[in-house]
Amino acid sequence: MFCPKCKNEYVDGITICADCGIELVDTLPEEVDPEAPFLLGTLPNEELGMIFVKYFNYAGVNSCVLVERDEESEEGKYDLYVSHAELPKATIVLNNLLGNPESDSDERVDLEKIVPAIQAELESIDGEEGSELLQELRSEQSTVYVNYKDKYNDHKFTGYSFITFSVVGLAFAALNMAGIIHVFNMFSTLVIALMFIVFLGIGISSLRKANSIKGNLENEEEAEKNVRAYMEETFTSEYLSSLGDSSLSEEENYINVTEILTNEAVSKFPDLNPQLIEQLVDEYYEKSYDI
């Protein structure tokens, strides 16, 4: 018999660990290498496999890779792997695609069944624009996180500005073509009108981008609310003070403490972009100490 916590072995007849006070088990679970790859499933071709690799990368699971199988394999030609360290995050992505985000099942998923869900999510964000937006989700290497609120406001402002400008310009061109005003000749007026039509298209495209971001904006605002509530409850002034080191400078303490807080928050919210969490931690720490 073994203790699942301290790994001590006991003779038959003993059922409770003397040190840990927990029930013994017949065998210890197999040790897992945190860097070892974990097989999520198999796919019949490279095209489907790369859809998953790209989507998982977009969602922040950067260890996801596709490995070609032996030609004699009967289960599938390509295996999809993630590291054990990123398995919890990958599981969340899969569960969200399956429409069951609360599931904690260890059963292997039939990846082919999820392809329509991935394609539907991509299409819901409007074609090529969707690919760009999803690529922004994986901005793990970005030093500054640009939130969806800023993106939404930028696209909205650009859209309304270009549309207003183009409407005024087209009205001016129409008056010139009708002979009500005489500023340009007909050819120049047609060129100007074409230019403003292009501006109108840019404005409409920007508003469509803003509209496609709106759903992500609402999700992000809810996520920020949850992270801030967690920090208010967990990162008390006493706890923050305990993390400081009097032998370090204020700048060094700031870097060390915010790194610790960020790692804790990332562990609590593994499905969120770490750059977003880092930004919220910085804001919270600066506010707490009026930096």
Side-chain angles (χ1 to χ4, degrees):
M1 304 292 287
F2 300 87
C3 173
K5 184 175 181 181
C6 66
K7 309 294 189 300
N8 286 335
E9 184 177 2
Y10 287 84
V11 298
D12 291 340
I14 299 177
T15 58
I16 302 296
C17 177
D19 296 325
C20 305
I22 61 177
E23 189 173 349
L24 303 180
V25 295
D26 293 331
T27 57
L28 289 174
E30 185 179 342
E31 293 290 337
V32 175
D33 182 357
E35 298 301 323
F38 179 87
L39 177 62
L40 288 177
T42 61
L43 291 154
N45 56 64
E46 186 177 12
E47 182 179 0
L48 286 180
M50 290 310 299
I51 289 177
F52 279 87
V53 171
K54 291 178 181 178
Y55 188 84
F56 273 91
N57 287 339
Y58 294 151
V61 185
N62 297 315
S63 65
C64 185
V65 294
L66 192 67
V67 178
E68 186 173 4
R69 276 196 165 199
D70 189 322
E71 293 181 358
E72 298 178 1
S73 171
E74 296 180 358
E75 296 182 36
K77 294 184 178 180
Y78 290 85
D79 288 337
L80 191 71
Y81 288 94
V82 297
S83 68
H84 272 282
E86 287 197 313
L87 180 58
K89 191 184 296 185
T91 301
I92 290 173
V93 174
L94 286 174
N95 288 338
N96 286 335
L97 289 169
L98 291 168
N100 189 16
E102 301 299 326
S103 174
D104 57 358
S105 173
D106 292 328
E107 293 183 11
R108 188 156 291 158
V109 177
D110 185 349
L111 297 180
E112 287 189 70
K113 293 182 179 179
I114 305 178
V115 173
I118 295 178
Q119 292 174 332
E121 188 160 344
L122 290 170
E123 291 172 1
S124 69
I125 314 180
D126 190 26
E128 293 183 359
E129 304 297 336
S131 295
E132 295 176 8
L133 290 174
L134 287 173
Q135 192 166 9
E136 290 171 1
L137 292 176
R138 64 169 302 202
S139 55
E140 299 283 334
Q141 307 303 321
S142 174
T143 56
V144 179
Y145 179 81
V146 181
N147 58 39
Y148 282 108
K149 182 177 181 180
D150 291 338
K151 295 176 186 176
Y152 175 78
N153 289 333
D154 286 345
H155 286 307
K156 192 174 180 180
F157 175 79
T158 300
Y160 283 126
S161 298
F162 270 84
I163 289 175
T164 301
F165 185 57
S166 61
V167 168
V168 172
L170 288 172
F172 172 80
L175 292 174
N176 198 85
M177 292 176 67
I180 298 176
I181 58 176
H182 301 279
V183 179
F184 300 106
N185 59 35
M186 184 60 68
F187 177 77
S188 298
T189 302
L190 289 174
V191 172
I192 292 173
L194 181 61
M195 179 186 68
F196 284 118
I197 290 174
V198 172
F199 287 167
L200 180 63
I202 294 174
I204 293 173
S205 177
S206 294
L207 289 183
R208 292 179 65 186
K209 289 180 182 178
N211 187 58
S212 67
I213 291 174
K214 195 171 183 179
N216 291 326
L217 168 62
E218 294 171 353
N219 293 335
E220 183 181 69
E221 289 177 341
E222 181 65 24
E224 289 183 4
K225 180 180 177 182
N226 293 335
V227 174
R228 289 193 176 97
Y230 165 77
M231 291 191 296
E232 291 284 349
E233 181 179 351
T234 308
F235 301 158
T236 62
S237 57
E238 292 81 7
Y239 179 60
L240 295 179
S241 299
S242 70
L243 298 177
D245 187 341
S246 58
S247 65
L248 300 177
S249 67
E250 182 176 329
E251 291 78 11
E252 291 173 321
N253 266 312
Y254 175 85
I255 294 173
N256 290 342
V257 173
T258 53
E259 183 178 356
I260 293 172
L261 300 180
T262 299
N263 290 336
E264 292 184 16
V266 168
S267 298
K268 178 67 177 178
F269 302 95
D271 55 326
L272 296 184
N273 189 307
Q275 299 300 331
L276 169 60
I277 294 178
E278 182 179 358
Q279 177 179 295
L280 295 175
V281 167
D282 284 342
E283 292 175 358
Y284 179 80
Y285 189 71
E286 291 177 1
K287 178 181 177 182
S288 298
Y289 282 93
D290 295 325
I291 296 176

